[in-house]
Amino acid sequence: MSTIQYKHHDKLLVAVDCIIFGFDGNELKALLIKRGFEPEIGKWSLMGGFVNQQESVDDAANRILGQLTGLSSIYMEQLYCFGNVTRDPGGRVVSMAYFALIKIDDYSEILMKEHNAKWFPLKRIPAMVFDHKQMIGLAKERLQQKVAQHPIGFALLPDKFTLQQLQGLYEAIYEKELDKRNFTRKILSLNILNKQNEKEKESSKKGAFYYVFDKKKYQKLDKEGLKFL
Amino acid sequence: MSTIQYKHHDKLLVAVDCIIFGFDGNELKALLIKRGFEPEIGKWSLMGGFVNQQESVDDAANRILGQLTGLSSIYMEQLYCFGNVTRDPGGRVVSMAYFALIKIDDYSEILMKEHNAKWFPLKRIPAMVFDHKQMIGLAKERLQQKVAQHPIGFALLPDKFTLQQLQGLYEAIYEKELDKRNFTRKILSLNILNKQNEKEKESSKKGAFYYVFDKKKYQKLDKEGLKFL
DNA sequence: AAAATAAAGGTAAAAAATACACTTATTAGA
DNA sequence: TCTAATAAGTGTATTTTTTACCTTTATTTT
């Protein structure tokens, strides 16, 4: 705080931009929308909006995510503040970037169409407005770091998933192949997955058991201090 | 960005608050100032200020840090955005918290006195205004994580330091004792320190060799992908 | 019954992390 | 000049973690 009254200070537009990640079983993707107004009309953009006077920045982020996906109680965290003076040619806008992890089949098709939204593989992100591409790059790095220490990846998978789906997710995030036996051993040794009796039978004749993430077991471990992977 | 014109949206006060860390050879400390105006006059506070229309948020953080310490080109990074509606009873203020690492003897005494600034050990932070104590707690956690992966700790030490001073720093940050031989072996194996011919002779009769951090060696390693400690 | 498919599972070798204690260089003081 | 005091400097054995690697099993289809 400064030593003079608040009212003498500049007020700024504060925006939120959401990097929305999804996983289709094969690739990591980000959900982008086609900007329908100037400046930069027609370019791809992150879903964003302005923070209102009477809502917290986090609330604004959740509101904006909800507008596009119809989803609430989604994994989301602050990424970074983009605060350059000239980042948005439309005005002085400070943007808080957030990233969210959603189950790719959970969003509302209707809302998606309304917003001209489309999933893009992270490896093939098109030209984007302002600093949005940079935001996605930073979000990817952050996800890579975070996922190694916290079990947030499950937010990208269906509630029931096979070990190979889980491994595929990590391979997509890290962009490298992992050894199946080592991966399985490590993830199971954490004791945060519950094996189901049911099998997934689409991708093999033998079928692979489903697992579910046991949040309570994890939280217990987390208190004791756990490195995730 | 929203689908209606920017001018219809709310503008907010955007503040920056700086957690300034120092190390006195023994303890990690934070530099606080005594707030001289309402609300919450007389309470301890982080050094802060408002972001001006014509400066970036990062520039504002550097300006504010310079106001208190007289220092520039200091290690500083964004910590987190504190955006609750009611966090500051004086008005709707979104605060970007930054943390900075300074060499504790480098600041300007004059500016410190002007601002009623004082160093507090992290273990004995007094009551503070708003959410500032929470900011310090978060900064400490972030520093602990960061320092394990990046060689930023040197910003808290004099240019020349002994291995025991360096170890002491890590012990202060992690809040636990480390084994001297293991620490020495590990840090030297990174090959980012240059041993000097000169010895520090105050704390022992034998004297301990000074080392300096070699930024170039580090950057070379960093490109190749390095876990720090 | 045979073939095809992907799932499941273990071991040995290498690397990294930990635990642990004596010798050395130097100065101050007897 | 000898002795005592002080912290610096140094190596090895043990445990844990990580990595590399392939055969057997369950099930379905033909």
Side-chain angles (χ1 to χ4, degrees):
Chain A
M1 300 309 104
S2 167
T3 53
I4 50 173
Q5 294 302 337
Y6 293 180
K7 54 185 154 187
H8 298 147
H9 293 282
D10 297 337
K11 290 186 173 186
L12 309 178
L13 287 162
V14 180
V16 162
D17 288 301
C18 296
I19 297 101
I20 302 169
F21 286 121
F23 177 64
D24 68 359
N26 196 252
E27 284 184 304
L28 255 195
K29 296 184 168 182
L31 188 56
L32 310 184
I33 63 175
K34 194 164 239 176
R35 190 169 162 103
F37 52 97
E38 293 295 348
E40 311 254 19
I41 189 166
K43 267 204 188 171
W44 291 99
S45 163
L46 293 171
M47 182 69 187
F50 291 98
V51 179
N52 297 322
Q53 179 75 24
Q54 72 290 350
E55 72 183 345
S56 72
V57 180
D58 286 350
D59 285 348
N62 279 298
R63 170 174 58 78
I64 287 156
L65 182 69
Q67 280 170 8
L68 176 56
T69 62
L71 301 173
S72 60
S73 62
I74 289 310
Y75 182 85
M76 177 147 69
E77 67 173 83
Q78 273 189 24
L79 176 63
Y80 202 72
C81 172
F82 289 78
N84 282 348
V85 177
T86 57
R87 54 173 294 280
D88 181 337
R92 175 65 201 276
V93 181
V94 172
S95 173
M96 278 304 311
Y98 281 72
F99 75 89
L101 307 181
I102 76 173
K103 303 184 200 308
I104 207 163
D105 295 325
D106 270 8
Y107 58 78
S108 151
E109 289 275 359
I110 299 153
L111 290 169
M112 290 269 292
K113 274 188 187 149
E114 249 177 47
H115 285 90
N116 285 304
K118 197 181 157 198
W119 287 103
F120 286 87
L122 279 196
K123 288 180 183 164
R124 294 184 294 281
I125 298 293
M128 294 189 71
V129 299
F130 316 155
D131 42 15
H132 285 197
K133 202 164 183 171
Q134 191 190 341
M135 290 179 180
I136 293 177
L138 191 64
K140 189 178 92 177
E141 283 177 29
R142 192 80 141 262
L143 179 61
Q144 287 175 337
Q145 290 166 22
K146 187 89 184 194
V147 95
Q149 309 220 253
H150 303 272
I152 61 174
F154 303 109
L156 288 160
L157 291 176
D159 290 331
K160 295 185 301 189
F161 49 84
T162 66
L163 291 177
Q164 352 308 312
Q165 288 172 324
L166 186 59
Q167 180 177 340
L169 172 63
Y170 277 86
E171 290 176 334
I173 292 174
Y174 291 142
E175 294 177 344
K176 73 167 185 185
E177 301 215 330
L178 302 172
D179 178 86
K180 179 168 60 165
R181 282 167 292 184
N182 293 339
F183 179 82
T184 307
R185 181 176 341 116
K186 200 160 183 183
I187 200 88
L188 290 180
S189 74
L190 296 174
N191 252 316
I192 56 172
L193 297 184
N194 291 330
K195 189 175 186 173
Q196 309 299 104
N197 286 324
E198 199 185 350
K199 279 183 168 182
E200 190 278 331
K201 296 223 160 182
E202 299 214 347
S203 52
S204 87
K205 321 221 155 159
K206 185 176 178 182
F209 283 105
Y210 280 118
Y211 288 79
V212 298
F213 172 53
D214 188 329
K215 201 170 180 180
K216 284 192 187 146
K217 279 187 191 165
Y218 168 69
Q219 285 170 336
K220 208 171 157 190
L221 279 181
D222 193 35
K223 279 184 196 161
E224 299 157 13
L226 160 76
K227 282 183 247 162
F228 186 57
L229 276 190
Chain B
M1 300 307 104
S2 165
T3 53
I4 52 174
Q5 295 301 336
Y6 294 179
K7 54 185 156 190
H8 297 148
H9 292 284
D10 297 336
K11 290 187 173 184
L12 309 178
L13 288 163
V14 179
V16 162
D17 288 300
C18 295
I19 296 101
I20 302 170
F21 286 121
F23 178 62
D24 67 359
N26 196 252
E27 285 183 303
L28 254 196
K29 295 183 168 183
L31 188 56
L32 310 185
I33 63 175
K34 194 164 240 174
R35 190 168 162 104
F37 53 97
E38 294 294 349
E40 311 254 20
I41 189 167
K43 267 203 188 172
W44 291 99
S45 163
L46 294 170
M47 182 69 186
F50 290 98
V51 179
N52 297 323
Q53 178 76 24
Q54 74 289 351
E55 72 183 343
S56 73
V57 180
D58 286 350
D59 286 347
N62 280 298
R63 170 175 57 78
I64 287 157
L65 183 68
Q67 280 169 6
L68 176 56
T69 63
L71 302 172
S72 60
S73 61
I74 290 309
Y75 182 84
M76 178 147 69
E77 67 173 81
Q78 273 189 25
L79 177 63
Y80 203 73
C81 172
F82 290 78
N84 282 349
V85 177
T86 58
R87 55 173 292 281
D88 182 337
R92 174 64 201 276
V93 181
V94 171
S95 173
M96 278 304 309
Y98 281 73
F99 75 88
L101 306 180
I102 75 172
K103 303 184 200 307
I104 205 163
D105 296 325
D106 271 6
Y107 58 78
S108 152
E109 289 274 359
I110 298 152
L111 289 170
M112 290 271 291
K113 275 191 186 146
E114 249 176 47
H115 287 90
N116 284 306
K118 197 181 155 197
W119 288 103
F120 285 86
L122 279 196
K123 289 180 183 165
R124 292 184 295 281
I125 298 292
M128 294 188 72
V129 300
F130 315 156
D131 42 15
H132 286 197
K133 202 164 183 173
Q134 191 191 341
M135 290 179 179
I136 294 178
L138 191 64
K140 190 178 90 176
E141 282 177 30
R142 191 79 142 262
L143 179 62
Q144 287 175 338
Q145 290 166 21
K146 188 88 183 193
V147 95
Q149 309 221 252
H150 304 272
I152 62 174
F154 302 110
L156 289 161
L157 291 175
D159 291 333
K160 296 184 301 190
F161 49 83
T162 65
L163 292 177
Q164 348 313 308
Q165 288 172 324
L166 185 59
Q167 181 178 339
L169 172 63
Y170 277 85
E171 289 177 335
I173 293 173
Y174 292 143
E175 296 177 342
K176 74 168 185 184
E177 302 215 330
L178 301 173
D179 179 84
K180 179 168 60 163
R181 282 168 292 187
N182 293 338
F183 179 82
T184 307
R185 181 174 344 116
K186 199 160 183 183
I187 199 89
L188 290 179
S189 74
L190 296 174
N191 253 317
I192 56 172
L193 297 184
N194 290 330
K195 187 176 187 173
Q196 309 299 103
N197 286 324
E198 199 186 349
K199 279 183 168 182
E200 190 277 330
K201 295 225 160 181
E202 299 212 347
S203 52
S204 87
K205 318 222 157 160
K206 185 175 178 181
F209 283 105
Y210 280 118
Y211 288 79
V212 298
F213 172 54
D214 188 327
K215 200 169 180 180
K216 285 191 185 147
K217 280 187 188 162
Y218 168 70
Q219 285 168 337
K220 207 171 159 191
L221 280 182
D222 193 36
K223 278 182 195 161
E224 298 157 13
L226 160 76
K227 281 183 248 163
F228 186 56
L229 277 191

